[in-house]
Amino acid sequence: MYPRGVLTTLAALLVVGASITPLAEAQGVKAASVGQQTVPEGAYPWAVALERVEAGESTPTSFCGGALIAPRFVITAAHCAQVEGLNSPAQVRQAHLKARFANLPGRPAVSALSMNVPGSYWVRMWGRRAQSDVAIVELASPAPTAPHPVSAQAPQVGQVAGDLGYGLTPENPSSMSADLLQATFLVAEPSRCSGSSQTGIKARVHPETEICTVPGPAPNDGATCPGDSGSPMTAEGFAAVSAVTSWGRFNACRTDPALRSSVFARLAPVKDWIRRQTGAELFSEPAITPDRQGPEDARIRVGKLKGRQVKVRVNASGSRWRSAVFVEFSRAGYRLPTMLAVGGRMEAGQKSVRVSAPRSWKTRGLKVMGVAARFWYPATLNGVTLTSGY
């Protein structure tokens, strides 16, 4: 899977501290699990494969996993929206996004209307602890099966947890699985998933919002791989979804078993946001009136590239909103085009920011490929994403 558009690169980023680095090793999009087992048809009908139609293609391809948590809502990972450039209903329609229930007879699919991401996911872009790699997919019609419960209670260190997805496998590391796969593993201390990746990127697990897992003794020796992003993590017995596949330091399909680990995004930190998005009876709490109101009349205006810097202005009605801005730069003169998304820190009340390409990048051949801005209300995490070509 390759990035498309400004938030294509964005979604494929892993942020550590104030730096932005490629998320090549992250499991983000769930890849089939190591130590996986094929699930019998109908065993977990609520497990979803998200599919889209690539530009210029006619057949859909799966790119992330998810779980049906309400008749018309699927839970998945936020970076599945960001990496794929599915940040608005128009982009979702253009990609012909669907949720396929591949564990049901006939493998039915339901079209999606939108993918919604909490503002706190963007806050994490600056290395803060408020990261929530969680997204909600709204379906155009009710799913052909019953939703699965969700829980704010996550398994503890030493307990067995499981994952269901359609990602890559060591046996077939180049394409997603057509069948639902199941893997189990052990919840571990955050330090087991933190540290340097194969490319030297330093990653840190935030226990407030993330869960670290590692392979244990067989049969609990599984791990997620690329393509498993968004797939559901459940406690032993698969009784309820408590997290979604987010990232990992290494590609578990291609690394030594001793280095395999998988990080999951907890649902609990954004429990209220999930309920406001769906309005459904979730987390053993009653249904509520949906509230998806984000900043109104959000606007983005991009200036000209001057040297390595571009100025971006943002605005919206009211004063309660916050914003984060990202610019996708590219440079010429290399065998392959090189692109990088760089963020501009926005403080409360700030309406413009200058974003610069790295100093090591020469201005000759430098271009701005696109700009994205996320607006959100800190109190509710509801927001909108705007993108601008250049």
Side-chain angles (χ1 to χ4, degrees):
M1 180 185 66
Y2 296 93
R4 285 168 296 281
V6 64
L7 285 191
T8 285
T9 300
L10 267 191
L13 298 180
L14 171 63
V15 179
V16 181
S19 63
I20 300 178
T21 50
L23 183 61
E25 298 81 2
Q27 263 60 291
V29 176
K30 175 174 185 178
S33 303
V34 176
Q36 76 286 351
Q37 297 176 340
T38 301
V39 174
E41 186 177 87
Y44 304 108
W46 45 269
V48 166
L50 295 180
E51 297 181 344
R52 63 165 294 155
V53 177
E54 306 286 354
E57 301 291 334
S58 58
T59 57
T61 56
S62 58
F63 62 95
C64 273
L68 183 73
I69 61 171
R72 292 182 52 239
F73 294 94
V74 168
I75 195 88
T76 186
H79 74 261
C80 291
Q82 306 294 282
V83 173
E84 295 291 319
L86 302 173
N87 300 285
S88 70
Q91 291 172 320
V92 167
R93 289 193 302 271
Q94 185 177 19
H96 302 284
L97 179 66
K98 292 184 177 182
R100 185 167 298 280
F101 296 84
N103 193 231
L104 279 175
R107 303 169 61 86
V110 180
S111 296
L113 294 177
S114 65
M115 290 187 77
N116 300 305
V117 176
S120 61
Y121 175 68
W122 282 62
V123 173
R124 172 62 168 86
M125 290 293 183
W126 301 113
R128 301 177 185 175
R129 294 171 179 254
Q131 183 259 352
S132 295
D133 191 8
V134 177
I136 293 290
V137 180
E138 182 180 4
L139 304 180
S141 59
T145 188
H148 198 61
V150 291
S151 175
Q153 301 299 318
Q156 302 300 306
V157 173
Q159 289 185 310
V160 174
D163 182 72
L164 297 165
Y166 300 87
L168 312 179
T169 63
E171 295 76 21
N172 189 5
S174 60
S175 61
M176 300 281 279
S177 172
D179 298 317
L180 181 62
L181 302 174
Q182 167 184 329
T184 55
F185 30 73
L186 299 180
V187 176
E189 296 288 349
S191 59
R192 297 284 300 277
C193 296
S194 300
S196 297
S197 69
Q198 288 166 306
T199 56
I201 297 171
K202 293 183 178 179
R204 176 188 173 194
V205 174
H206 296 288
E208 300 90 343
T209 56
E210 297 172 322
I211 303 171
C212 170
T213 67
V214 297
N220 303 316
D221 55 350
T224 62
C225 299
D228 279 346
S229 294
S231 59
M233 175 206 216
T234 64
E236 191 171 10
F238 296 91
V241 177
S242 56
V244 294
T245 309
S246 183
W247 60 276
R249 287 192 298 142
F250 302 96
N251 180 342
C253 287
R254 296 182 176 180
T255 194
D256 187 282
L259 298 176
R260 292 172 184 164
S261 63
S262 305
V263 178
F264 294 79
R266 297 176 182 265
L267 302 189
V270 286
K271 180 185 72 170
D272 292 338
W273 177 83
I274 294 172
R275 295 182 68 228
R276 284 194 297 270
Q277 296 300 302
T278 64
E281 180 179 350
L282 298 172
F283 301 98
S284 301
E285 298 180 23
I288 61 173
T289 301
D291 171 17
R292 299 179 220 155
Q293 184 65 48
E296 297 178 359
D297 304 321
R299 299 178 294 279
I300 177 175
R301 189 170 65 183
V302 184
K304 294 182 179 180
L305 177 65
K306 295 183 178 180
R308 287 189 298 271
Q309 192 175 84
V310 62
K311 185 175 183 179
V312 182
R313 296 181 182 271
V314 299
N315 205 351
S317 298
S319 60
R320 294 183 296 137
W321 54 273
R322 295 289 304 276
S323 182
V325 169
F326 287 84
V327 178
E328 185 176 51
F329 294 94
S330 72
R331 58 178 176 176
Y334 292 80
R335 182 175 300 177
L336 295 174
T338 303
M339 291 189 293
L340 176 71
V342 181
R345 184 188 298 272
M346 302 288 285
E347 303 297 338
Q350 186 178 350
K351 295 185 178 181
S352 68
V353 64
R354 295 182 184 275
V355 183
S356 299
R359 292 182 179 180
S360 60
W361 286 26
K362 296 180 180 180
T363 57
R364 184 178 180 181
L366 184 67
K367 295 182 179 180
V368 173
M369 303 302 294
V371 179
R374 175 72 179 179
F375 300 76
W376 73 91
Y377 291 146
T380 63
L381 301 184
N382 288 339
V384 295
T385 299
L386 299 183
T387 59
S388 173
Y390 196 84

